Amino acid sequence: MTSITSVPLLDLTRNDPEVLDRMREAFDRVLVSGRYIMGPEIDGLEAECAEFLGIEHAIGVSSGTDALILALMSLGIGAGDEVICPTYTFFATAGSIWRVGAKPVFVDCDPITYNLDPAEIEAKITPATKALMPVHLFGQCADMTPVLEVASKHGVRIIEDAAQAISARYDTTSGPVSAGGMGDFGCFSFFPSKNLGCLGDGGLVTTNDAELAEHARIMRVHGGKPKYYHHFVGGNFRLDPLQAALLRIKLPLLPAATEGRRRNAARYVERLQAAGVVSADPAEVGSGQIGLPQAVRDHIFNQFTLRSPERDALREWLGERGIGTEIYYPVPMHLQACFAELGHREGDFPRSEQAARETLALPIFPELAPEEIDYVADGVIAFCRSRGTGS
Ligand SMILES: Cc1ncc(COP(=O)(O)O)c(C=O)c1O
């Protein structure tokens, strides 16, 4: 084997040739079908996703962002309403709330999982609060039991942003449930970097409520039912049948791909721990040390996110060795310029601000070779040693 000199953060071209052939067949099937909007590929994917996730209704949509917007619109959330969400998240979480005219109300993150801290929610509830939007960040569910309790106590809805967590499970009081199956709506993204990605944009809305499902289906096509008769103003939130056909091939392969990610994560953990560079406290990491991601619950590792107080230097060090990394996310939502009128300032959510300064995602995609994981781990270890840590 040639020695490794670089490892990409993500490589979407490492496809099994047999799977590629099946995708070409699917493309041809759609090409000659003449059905380019809705139709059997969408119906098939929706049924297969519902069954796979153990959630009663699944609705294919145009992106994860549109999944969130469709869920908000289907619950009638808009001007004058407030939705509580984490500040440490991808922009679409807060952006979708803003785009329907509602106000995002932020909570800080748990320093171990980076998910929203449920203990902060209740104090933020006002008469205007219509929903909570927990995010299952990096592939691990938010702590949903207290989120569900506070929502039911105050009669507010839950929209799960499960864009990064397809198939992650959470142990509810009544047994394990898939991400996206605990709230009123679950929202998923099929963006190519997600664990189940399509060849462009796509998303999914899930719900166990038949009436909400029916309403979301109407809102997906401009709010018209029958066609051209509108009791509601919806949008065009349709998924392309071509993407659905391709996703139907990839969906059964998802469990094996998730296993690959978990295997890679375990190898990083083993290598980094053996080198003595891991901080005992994953949330408070000293110089020359790293904090490991903590799988407190079932974790599907959409991201493998380290923590280092010298994050930017570590990133540069790895970059010099050809190792791709990414910062998810450098600016929490409460400090985004577009939300300035909410009046937040630095220091409002210290744990999220610290995470934004310290976290760094390493390559974790399932097709990585063990030698590539070792090359990346060696790069991290060498950085720590350069700072005087590690045996
Ligand atoms: C947490 C989170 N929410 C929402 C989205 C939006 O999904 P999409 O890019 O498919 O619109 C993403 C993905 O990019 C995400 O990571």
Side-chain angles (χ1 to χ4, degrees):
M1 167 140 194
T2 52
S3 70
I4 292 163
T5 51
S6 67
V7 179
L9 178 68
L10 178 64
D11 183 353
L12 293 170
T13 66
R14 298 189 192 182
N15 292 299
D16 178 340
E18 198 254 332
V19 174
L20 285 183
D21 282 344
R22 288 169 53 206
M23 290 173 79
R24 286 188 191 98
E25 281 165 25
F27 180 88
D28 280 346
R29 191 171 72 227
V30 175
L31 182 65
V32 298
S33 74
R35 290 299 301 267
Y36 305 140
I37 297 288
M38 303 303 287
E41 299 293 350
I42 300 289
D43 296 344
L45 177 73
E46 291 180 346
E48 286 151 20
C49 284
E51 193 187 343
F52 178 83
L53 295 170
I55 305 175
E56 279 179 44
H57 308 277
I59 302 159
V61 295
S62 31
S63 69
T65 305
D66 285 347
L68 293 168
I69 289 180
L70 177 59
L72 287 158
M73 289 175 75
S74 299
L75 292 173
I77 293 171
D81 297 334
E82 296 178 359
V83 178
I84 297 175
C85 70
T87 182
Y88 186 58
T89 182
F90 177 62
F91 181 76
T93 311
S96 64
I97 296 167
W98 190 272
R99 281 179 60 197
V100 299
K103 177 181 168 187
V105 175
F106 301 119
V107 293
D108 211 344
C109 68
D110 171 277
I112 304 289
T113 63
Y114 304 113
N115 279 312
L116 91 172
D117 180 355
E120 292 210 349
I121 294 173
E122 193 153 25
K124 299 284 170 84
I125 292 184
T126 73
T129 308
K130 288 291 178 312
L132 313 180
M133 190 182 279
V135 180
H136 305 313
L137 202 65
F138 301 149
Q140 175 171 221
C141 284
D143 189 7
M144 288 300 287
T145 300
V147 174
L148 292 161
E149 275 168 14
V150 76
S152 110
K153 181 173 164 195
H154 292 274
V156 299
R157 303 287 200 161
I158 295 179
I159 298 170
E160 293 173 67
D161 183 341
Q164 302 183 4
I166 191 160
S167 83
R169 312 277 281 176
Y170 181 87
D171 287 319
T172 66
T173 47
S174 46
V177 178
S178 282
M182 293 170 274
D184 296 280
F185 281 115
C187 299
F188 296 88
S189 165
F190 297 133
F191 188 80
S193 67
K194 300 296 192 264
N195 288 28
L196 178 61
C198 62
L199 272 62
D201 280 307
L204 192 78
V205 170
T206 52
T207 180
N208 285 309
D209 182 317
E211 270 179 40
L212 284 181
E214 168 67 8
H215 189 47
R217 286 183 192 284
I218 295 169
M219 295 298 277
R220 171 174 62 177
V221 286
H222 297 288
K225 190 183 181 191
K227 205 172 172 187
Y228 307 128
Y229 291 82
H230 295 260
H231 290 100
F232 309 100
V233 179
N236 173 0
F237 299 123
R238 293 181 297 251
L239 177 68
D240 290 342
L242 184 55
Q243 299 295 355
L246 300 170
L247 285 162
R248 294 178 76 188
I249 292 162
K250 295 180 85 179
L251 178 64
L253 308 173
L254 178 59
T258 302
E259 272 324 300
R261 288 172 183 270
R262 289 188 177 132
R263 200 170 47 239
N264 292 343
R267 195 172 180 103
Y268 276 134
V269 170
E270 193 187 311
R271 295 292 313 264
L272 295 170
Q273 271 174 345
V277 299
V278 174
S279 162
D281 181 350
E284 280 305 324
V285 180
S287 170
Q289 292 186 315
I290 50 126
L292 287 176
Q294 302 295 304
V296 174
R297 294 176 274 281
D298 186 38
H299 203 319
I300 62 156
F301 288 104
N302 181 239
Q303 305 300 347
F304 185 89
T305 308
L306 295 183
R307 189 192 266 276
S308 161
E310 295 136 329
R311 189 266 313 277
D312 294 339
L314 171 61
R315 185 170 201 217
E316 201 181 321
W317 175 281
L318 296 176
E320 282 162 6
R321 284 151 185 80
I323 298 168
T325 58
E326 189 52 276
I327 298 169
Y328 302 113
Y329 298 93
V331 183
M333 293 307 112
H334 68 282
L335 297 179
Q336 294 289 351
C338 64
F339 297 139
E341 71 186 70
L342 295 174
H344 289 294
R345 59 171 65 118
E346 222 167 315
D348 281 357
F349 300 100
R351 281 171 270 136
S352 296
E353 291 167 25
Q354 188 183 352
R357 279 192 305 272
E358 295 190 344
T359 54
L360 187 68
L362 300 184
I364 190 69
F365 60 97
E367 295 82 8
L368 282 168
E371 297 75 19
E372 292 180 297
I373 298 287
D374 292 349
Y375 180 79
V376 177
D378 286 345
V380 175
I381 293 163
F383 175 81
C384 295
R385 292 204 173 129
S386 78
R387 309 276 155 156
T389 309
S391 41

